[in-house]
Amino acid sequence: MPWYKDKIFWYLLGFCAFFKALAVTFIYLYNPLGEHVLIFPDSLSYIYPAQTWLTYGQFWEAVSATPLILRTPGYPVFLAVIQLITGNSTWAVAILQNILSLGLLIPVYLTTREISNLRAARWSAIFCAGSVLYFSLSFAVLTEILCTFLLAWFVFFLVKFLKCYSARWLVASACVLAAAIYVRPAAYYLAPAVFVFVIITCKTYWKQIVLCFFLPLFFLLGSWHLRNYLSTGFPGFSTVNAYNLYFWNEDLVAQKLSLSIPQAHNYLQNALPENFGSYRTTEQVKTYRALATPWLRVGWFYKLLHAPRWAAKTLLGTNFLHTSRLLTGKPANEQEMAFHSLNQTQFLHTRYLQTVGTKIILILSCLQVWGTVLLGIIGSWLLRKQHKMIAYFLAGYCIYFWAIGSVFFGAYARFRAPFEFVLCILAAPAFTAVLHRLQPHC
C-alpha cells in the first residue's frame, strides 16, 4: 500500500494537528507571559540579522553593522520570510514551527516503513508526535525545529539510497543536509563523516557518491565560505567553534575562582582585549583560541570527569523548565529565565516543582523521554539483523549529535532535538516486537 493511502496515518496526523491547534490557542490566549514565552537569550542573534536582511539586504551580527559570521543565515532567512509574509516574527514563527513539527512525522513514518513494517511506521509517528521536547521547542524562536525537520528528510533520503543506490536520493540528501547546516552549523562535520561512511560501505558507487553527494555539498557550503572570506577575510563557515571553545570554560572558571556561572561568563568577557569587537574576524578567532588554550590545559581532567553527567543530561533531559513555563507561565521573570538558560548545571530546577500540575508534567515528560531512549537503543540492536549498514548509519548519526551536545556544562535536552526523531524511528520496531511477544498465541 502506498504511504499516502494509509488512512490510519492521516487520522493520526489530523488528531495531532487538532491538538497542536488547541495548544497554540491555549498558550496564545492564556499564558500570562505573552510572546515573551517564545523568546530566549539566543533569539536576538537570529532576529536581528533577519531584520537587517529585510532592511539593508545584508546579514549583520546582533546589534551591529558587522557581517554575520557567528551565526549562519538559514534561520534568519526563515524568520525574515515569515515576517515579510505575516508582519510578525514571534507567534507566526510558533505557528509555522508547530506545522513543521507536524510535518516531521512524515519522514519519520516513511523512514520506519523502509526499515521495518507498516505497524512500526505508525508507532514511530506516534512516538514522535508525543515528544515533549519537540512540543516545547515548537514554541521557541530557536533553530532546533527547522533544523530537525530538514535532518529528518536527510535521514530518509540517505536510507533510501542505502537500500536502492539511486543517485537521486543522494542529491536530495545532500541538498537538505546543506540546508540543515545553514540553519545550525552543529551539523557541519556530519557531512564529511557521512561521505566517508557511504564511500566505505558503497564502494561500487563511489562515482555517484562523489558527483551526487560530495560535489553538491561542496558548492552549496563553499558559497558561504567564499562569502565569509570576501566579507571578513575569514575562510571558515562560522566562528561559533572558536567562540564556544573559549566560553565553554565558564564552569571551570566558576569552580577555580569561586564564582557563579553568570559571573564566570562576565569574567571571560572582560578578559578579552580592549576594543576586541574592532578586531578583524581572523584575529578574533585566533584570540579566542589563544585565550581558551590555558583553560583547556588545566581543565581537561575536570571536563573528562564531568562528561558522563553532561551526556546524561543531553540524552535523558526533559526540557522541563521550558515546558512548565509554556503550560503554567512560570518562571515569569525574564532575567530569571535568562539565568537558567545560561546556568544549565542543574539536573532539575526543583524550585518549580511546587504544584501537582508541575509534578505531573515532569512525570509524563520522564516517561516519554526515558521510554523512547530505552526502546530506541533496543531497536538499534534489533535493526542490525535486517539492515546492518542502515543500523550503523542511524546509530552513528545519533552518537554524533549526542557527542557534540554533551561536551560542555551547558548540555541539556535541547541538544537532543537533532536525533530524538531517530530514536523514535528505532523505538517503533522494538515496541512492536514487545507487543507481539505479549499477544497470546493459539
Side-chain angles (χ1 to χ4, degrees):
M1 178 180 64
W3 73 273
Y4 52 83
K5 291 185 178 181
D6 185 358
K7 292 183 180 179
I8 294 178
F9 173 68
W10 290 111
Y11 291 150
L12 170 64
L13 211 63
F15 174 80
C16 292
F18 175 73
F19 174 80
K20 285 185 175 293
L22 287 180
V24 171
T25 303
F26 171 79
I27 294 171
Y28 177 77
L29 293 177
Y30 298 107
N31 193 296
L33 306 179
E35 67 178 19
H36 294 291
V37 76
L38 311 176
I39 304 299
F40 283 72
D42 288 348
S43 298
L44 179 63
S45 62
Y46 300 109
I47 295 172
Y48 187 84
Q51 293 174 340
T52 63
W53 188 55
L54 287 174
T55 306
Y56 304 104
Q58 298 179 10
F59 296 105
W60 293 348
E61 291 286 3
V63 198
S64 75
T66 57
L68 184 70
I69 196 75
L70 179 66
R71 302 297 186 189
T72 43
Y75 197 62
V77 168
F78 175 75
L79 297 179
V81 171
I82 293 175
Q83 186 168 349
L84 188 65
I85 295 173
T86 67
N88 184 290
S89 59
T90 48
W91 286 109
V93 172
I95 292 171
L96 188 53
Q97 288 185 168
N98 271 276
I99 294 173
L100 288 180
S101 68
L102 190 66
L104 177 63
L105 304 187
I106 297 176
V108 167
Y109 170 89
L110 293 175
T111 305
T112 312
R113 280 190 62 155
E114 291 295 325
I115 65 174
S116 189
N117 54 50
L118 180 61
R119 189 183 186 190
R122 291 166 178 167
W123 276 110
S124 69
I126 291 172
F127 286 145
C128 192
S131 169
V132 177
L133 181 63
Y134 292 148
F135 167 78
S136 61
L137 290 176
S138 296
F139 293 93
V141 183
L142 295 171
T143 59
E144 273 73 16
I145 290 297
L146 177 59
C147 183
T148 300
F149 176 78
L150 294 168
L151 287 172
W153 283 108
F154 158 71
V155 167
F156 168 67
F157 292 142
L158 200 66
V159 166
K160 287 288 290 185
F161 171 76
L162 292 174
K163 287 195 67 178
C164 67
Y165 304 111
S166 173
R168 61 174 177 159
W169 301 117
L170 276 179
V171 175
S173 66
C175 291
V176 292
L177 178 57
I181 292 169
Y182 270 99
V183 172
R184 191 164 180 80
Y188 184 86
Y189 296 106
L190 180 67
V194 170
F195 173 69
V196 172
F197 171 80
V198 177
I199 281 286
I200 292 174
T201 57
C202 310
K203 297 176 184 177
T204 309
Y205 302 92
W206 69 269
K207 290 183 180 178
Q208 286 186 2
I209 297 168
V210 171
L211 292 173
C212 300
F213 186 80
F214 174 79
L215 288 181
L217 276 172
F218 178 82
F219 287 110
L220 289 171
L221 300 179
S223 61
W224 189 249
H225 280 273
L226 181 61
R227 175 266 186 190
N228 290 343
Y229 180 73
L230 295 177
S231 300
T232 68
F234 174 67
F237 193 74
S238 168
T239 61
V240 69
N241 287 339
Y243 177 88
N244 288 337
L245 189 69
Y246 180 58
F247 282 102
W248 281 357
N249 292 295
E250 290 165 356
D251 58 329
L252 180 63
V253 173
Q255 186 204 48
K256 295 289 186 182
L257 303 180
S258 300
L259 303 173
S260 67
I261 295 295
Q263 288 172 335
H265 178 85
N266 292 334
Y267 175 89
L268 290 173
Q269 187 70 51
N270 294 332
L272 294 172
E274 191 175 356
N275 300 322
F276 178 75
S278 63
Y279 283 22
R280 286 172 55 86
T281 302
T282 52
E283 292 301 316
Q284 289 185 3
V285 170
K286 290 179 182 178
T287 304
Y288 278 137
R289 290 172 178 167
L291 293 176
T293 300
W295 289 110
L296 295 173
R297 285 175 179 168
V298 300
W300 67 269
F301 184 73
Y302 169 87
K303 292 185 179 297
L304 185 64
L305 193 65
H306 286 75
R309 173 188 175 96
W310 301 334
K313 287 170 61 181
T314 299
L315 187 63
L316 302 175
T318 61
N319 209 35
F320 166 75
L321 191 65
H322 183 208
T323 305
S324 176
R325 194 169 193 249
L326 285 170
L327 299 178
T328 68
K330 296 178 181 179
N333 185 286
E334 293 298 316
Q335 291 183 343
E336 188 178 13
M337 184 62 184
F339 168 78
H340 288 309
S341 296
L342 179 63
N343 182 18
Q344 293 291 340
T345 56
Q346 294 179 312
F347 270 114
L348 182 65
H349 298 288
T350 53
R351 62 181 299 182
Y352 301 112
L353 281 172
Q354 305 300 321
T355 65
V356 174
T358 54
K359 292 176 182 177
I360 291 174
I361 292 172
L362 177 63
I363 292 170
L364 292 178
S365 299
C366 288
L367 289 174
Q368 183 271 315
V369 173
W370 298 350
T372 301
V373 170
L374 177 61
L375 287 170
I377 294 171
I378 297 172
S380 178
W381 178 257
L382 295 176
L383 185 61
R384 290 173 64 253
K385 299 177 181 179
Q386 294 179 310
H387 303 286
K388 184 180 290 186
M389 289 301 103
I390 294 176
Y392 288 155
F393 163 64
L394 295 179
Y397 174 94
C398 291
I399 291 170
Y400 169 84
F401 281 108
W402 184 22
I404 65 173
S406 305
V407 294
F408 70 113
F409 78 98
Y412 60 116
R414 175 185 167 191
F415 297 115
R416 191 180 63 250
F419 69 93
E420 182 167 317
F421 74 90
V422 176
L423 294 176
C424 295
I425 291 170
L426 295 170
F431 185 69
T432 55
V434 171
L435 291 180
H436 180 72
R437 285 181 175 273
L438 292 177
Q439 287 177 349
H441 298 283
C442 299

